[in-house]
Amino acid sequence: MRRVELEWIVGRYNYLIFIALALIGFYAMIAKKNLIKKIIGMNIFQTAIFLFYISMADIEGRKAPILVPGVEEYVNPLPHVLILTAIVVCVSTTAVALSLIVKIYQKFGSIEEDEIMEMMK
Amino acid sequence: MKMDIISIKPILAVLVSLMAAILIVVFRDYRNIREFWTISASIIKFTIISSMLPCILTGNTLYYELFSVLPNISVAFRVDALGILFGILASFLWILTSIYSIGYMRSLDEHSQTRYYAFFALALSSATGIAFSANLLTLFIFYETLTLSTYPLVVHKETPKARSAGRRYLIYTLSGSVILLFAIILSYSIAGTLDFVNGGFLSKSTSITNLQILFAMFIIGFGVKSAFMPLHSWLPSAMIAPTPVSALLHAVAVVKAGIFGVIRVIYFVFGSELLLDMGLGMALAYFVSFTIIVASLFALVQDNLKRRLAYSTISQLSYIALGVALSNPNGLMGGVLHFVYHAFMKITLFFCAGAIYVVTHKENISELNGIGRKMPITMSMFFIAVLGMCGFPPTCGFISKWYLLLGSAEANQLLLIIVLIVSTLLNIAYFFPIVLRAFFKKPAKQNGIEEAPPLMLIPIIITALISVLLGIWPDAPYSFFHIVRLMEGYI
Amino acid sequence: MNIIQNLPILVVIVPLIASFCMPIIGLFRRRYCFYLTLITNFLILIFAMLLLNYVINQGEIHYYLGNWEPPYGIEYVIDHLSAFMIILISFIAFIMTIYSKEDVENELPTNAPLFYTLFMLLTASLLGIVSTGDLFNLYVFLEIASLSAYTLVAVGKKKDALIGSFNYLIMGTLGACFILIGIGFLYLVTGSLNMADIALRLPSLYSSHVVHAAAIFFVVGLSIKIALFPLHVWLPDAHAHAPSTISVFLSGLVLKVGAYAMIRVLFDIFTVEFFVNTLPIAEVLSWMAAIAIIAGSINAIAQKDIKRMLAYSSVSQMGYIALGIGLANTPGIMGSLLHILNHAFMKGCLFSAAGAIIHKYKIRNVHQFKGLGKKMPYTMAAFSIAAISMVGAPPFGAFFSKLFLALGAIESGKWIFALIILISSLLNAAYFFSILERAYFTKLHDEEIEEAPISMVLPTFILAMGCIAFGVFMFILEPFLRDIATSLL
């Protein structure tokens, strides 16, 4: 049984934040009835993942990965690149989701999931 | 010297009726050409199969591998004595049934005749495939296609009752297939092969209990089509099919395919020695004795003629199983001879039932008073077949029953002898009243003679006469007797 | 020979470019979109055949994007499994393009260009998923495919499709996010994103909790994508309410590509040793698959709407594929791969036939199928062939895939799975044969033949022929599949 040191928790605070945000987002996606709130939850979840990647890229003492004359050491740029792509994906998904919600509102007149389920029966 | 000769004749025999089915559908609007395909396919099939007979009679087998599916499992064909017996029986009777069908269908002006002929041809393809399978996988493939191709024939009338009979048929046969497939897969995992080998390929590689359970699964799997009780109820309800279907398929092809599978399992998968070691031979014999007696009792109370014949079939199939399970030469002889002889006799009976329906539209025995005067030829042939079923000389039925009794005596099974005798008495009890009623009771109105149309009458006469011929001269050259002799090596 | 070496990327780029051009062409003439799609898909089919030929004769193709060497650059790898999937995807895409002509005119009369844009995008991304050798690239293409799928489900006329699409979106994104987390974990411990590279570095790290967590995230995320019980709840609505062309694509391809991804991740990256011995993933997967098989079939029996019934049937059939993955032995994987092929064709044929019936007669309720056998003989003939194949009757294709799966189950000592596979055939027979019985053996009043348009019937028929062909010509397929299976293990 490892001794849980304070250092161990505080030193890894990025992971803890990631987990907390992810769980909040996950909960919102699943449990909320309002469709917009689900999308917000989705965004929170995905943002948590982005934070996770970026935080794992950080190397202590180095600078942000943008080429600037005079700076020799950069943090790992690969996750930053990956997250750029992932952000694009996230935005597209949100766009599709929002347009779906607009259409749903037009056709069903409501954006509460349980009301829509009632109407579908 | 016994050799495996490579020949594509088995595949040709299977493919003939497949081609016929396609041609039948193509020519669906031209009745006579369509019927021509059926008749010619049946004759060609019979010719191909008979041409293999001389080779088999000298003790060789014909073999052809189509393709391999897994290591040691392939789809392959082998023609041996047992296979060619079934093949000749099915193809010869198909010729007669086709002629009969044409007469039946045209007299009743039935609907969906193309579908009927096409699926009939497919069913015969499947039966030939079963006869000539070299291993359990090939057998299973054709067994399934037999089920699927006979289903539309059962549901032919398209009435709610027919559909319900078809549903019952499918439920029973598909459930049996599931158990059968499971047994096949287990056999493969035990033995690593599925090829039929004289003497069995399952050695004692697992425990006796496992082998006994495996055997039980095989019997249940094949037992549905063999109509062992309690797996039999699909057969009486399937009598709703047109009579030629009942005659060829449910007296000859489908049910005999089931028993064929049982024989293959006993002698070519397990082997008679292994069976004796497991003590299962006698167990099987007693299991089917129940069917023999009880099915005959059920037959006594049936008023619908075809249902009575159906229960009689159920009973007679178990005769075959009894003979085969005895595992001695006489028993095997009796069982396999009965396989053939019962087919001829039962098909005669069904043909007569169909003729009666076509002429009078009557299905129940109670309505058949004095029908012997109206249809003398038909009912005389019926009488000959009845004599055969009850085992009277000089019909062939006497010979097979004789061997069965000899076999039971040789195995010292007094109880089985009693079962055979009791069931013979029951046979007389449910067959003779029909004949008596036909000839000696006065009909409601006297109308003079009105026989069945010739296309139906001629096959009836042929099958009845063959039943007698086989009884008087069983060891005619090339007859079934010689083929069965070859099987003595199975024990 | 340069074209062959460039094929891995061509096969993705060509439909992508076509998809970008589509809206522009759509501004000129709407009709041209269909022809562009047809030509592009035909081109891809040619590419796929060239690839298959090359891979069988000469081995894998590696293509480095931008000539950056791995593990720094993105690598595209076409091996036997990829080539197999590519030809499957391209063939079905081509066939369904022919089918889509009538269907699209029916479902979205004014928006055809946009449909075809998304359609080509979906095809491009599916091909990208199976061609890529880079893990993050896999995620990106997976998301592109999913997005196109979400939208395509929603474009039809049915308003139920909207909420079905939304639920699909939520659950699909969840799955993709889990996969992304898994990729992140793997990158954290190995420092690489290239599949082959990670596979090299991973074995020394098997005891690490991070790797365990990554594996679990992958499996859960991919299970959502392949609709493994109990993560299948999005599937019935999405597949049932989508336009028919899209139902075929979803059931036939999108699910399968998810299964492909699972095979790649589990067998190539985490080797068999890991997910059988170190973590009991294989156990859990096989049991969930077994439950999926039974639950899917039972649900299907209870359905009245034909497309919903077929959707639940898809849940059941994906269970077979997952079972093969979970068994992790040669017959098991062969069975999975064969079932991927067979089910794509069978379910494709069934959904196409259902689409044709709905298109012509607006009938969706199974109880109204009476007498269809006479009214639409060709469509129902194709439907029957596919249905009998689904039941697992020889000599059709699915019999062999079930046979291999059962053999795999027995080989690993778990005969209960073999029993479940066989019993589920009976359940399948229950709902398919009742349809066939109603269609063929129940009389209806008027029985003149009124078939669906030929552009819908022909693809259905071709797919049905495929079902037969893969059964009868097993002996050609078997060594090929055996090679793939042994190379994975």
Side-chain angles (χ1 to χ4, degrees), chain C residues 193-393:
Chain C
L193 289 170
N194 185 300
M195 289 186 197
D197 198 33
I198 299 181
L200 280 176
R201 301 186 188 210
L202 219 40
S204 52
L205 294 160
Y206 275 169
S207 50
S208 147
H209 289 299
V210 183
V211 174
H212 294 185
I216 297 179
F217 272 113
F218 268 114
V219 171
V220 174
L222 286 167
S223 300
I224 298 182
K225 291 290 182 189
I226 67 174
L228 191 62
F229 188 92
L231 302 164
H232 68 287
V233 284
W234 57 268
L235 194 142
D237 285 319
H239 287 207
H241 299 304
S244 303
T245 322
I246 301 306
S247 296
V248 171
F249 249 77
L250 287 177
S251 265
L253 290 180
V254 177
L255 290 177
K256 306 299 180 302
V257 167
Y260 162 87
M262 191 175 254
I263 294 180
R264 274 279 181 241
V265 166
L266 283 179
F267 286 98
D268 271 345
I269 301 182
F270 301 96
T271 48
V272 186
E273 213 181 83
F274 177 79
F275 78 92
V276 172
N277 296 329
T278 321
L279 274 190
I281 294 182
E283 278 286 318
V284 173
L285 209 55
S286 0
W287 278 107
M288 287 284 103
I291 299 178
I293 294 176
I294 302 285
S297 294
I298 296 184
N299 267 321
I301 297 181
Q303 298 304 319
K304 299 208 182 54
D305 179 283
I306 177 86
K307 287 179 74 168
R308 235 181 135 75
M309 177 192 280
L310 292 174
Y312 273 109
S313 167
S314 281
V315 173
S316 174
Q317 301 293 314
M318 289 309 294
Y320 286 116
I321 299 177
L323 183 61
I325 300 179
L327 287 172
N329 50 31
T330 312
I333 302 179
M334 282 175 74
S336 267
L337 294 173
L338 192 56
H339 207 63
I340 287 180
L341 186 62
N342 278 322
H343 182 242
F345 273 80
M346 294 189 295
K347 204 33 88 55
C349 176
L350 289 170
F351 266 118
S352 313
I357 296 174
I358 297 176
H359 179 257
K360 190 76 194 172
Y361 291 108
K362 309 281 180 286
I363 299 176
R364 289 182 73 116
N365 191 322
V366 205
H367 292 285
Q368 295 173 326
F369 271 28
K370 299 197 174 149
L372 269 183
K374 295 253 170 53
K375 280 213 236 179
M376 304 180 79
Y378 296 104
T379 311
M380 283 315 290
F383 189 94
S384 319
I385 294 176
I388 298 180
S389 182
M390 289 281 272
V391 170

Side-chain angles (χ1 to χ4, degrees), chain A residues 62-112:
Chain A
R62 301 201 185 186
K63 303 283 183 199
I66 302 173
L67 272 179
V68 164
V71 178
E72 294 291 322
E73 299 179 341
Y74 300 100
V75 298
N76 188 348
L78 181 59
H80 291 255
V81 166
L82 300 179
I83 293 306
L84 277 175
T85 316
I87 291 179
V88 171
V89 172
C90 170
V91 167
S92 339
T93 313
T94 311
V96 172
L98 289 175
S99 51
L100 272 175
I101 294 181
V102 168
K103 269 266 181 244
I104 290 178
Y105 187 65
Q106 277 177 2
K107 292 277 164 92
F108 287 94
S110 155
I111 52 172
E112 298 287 330

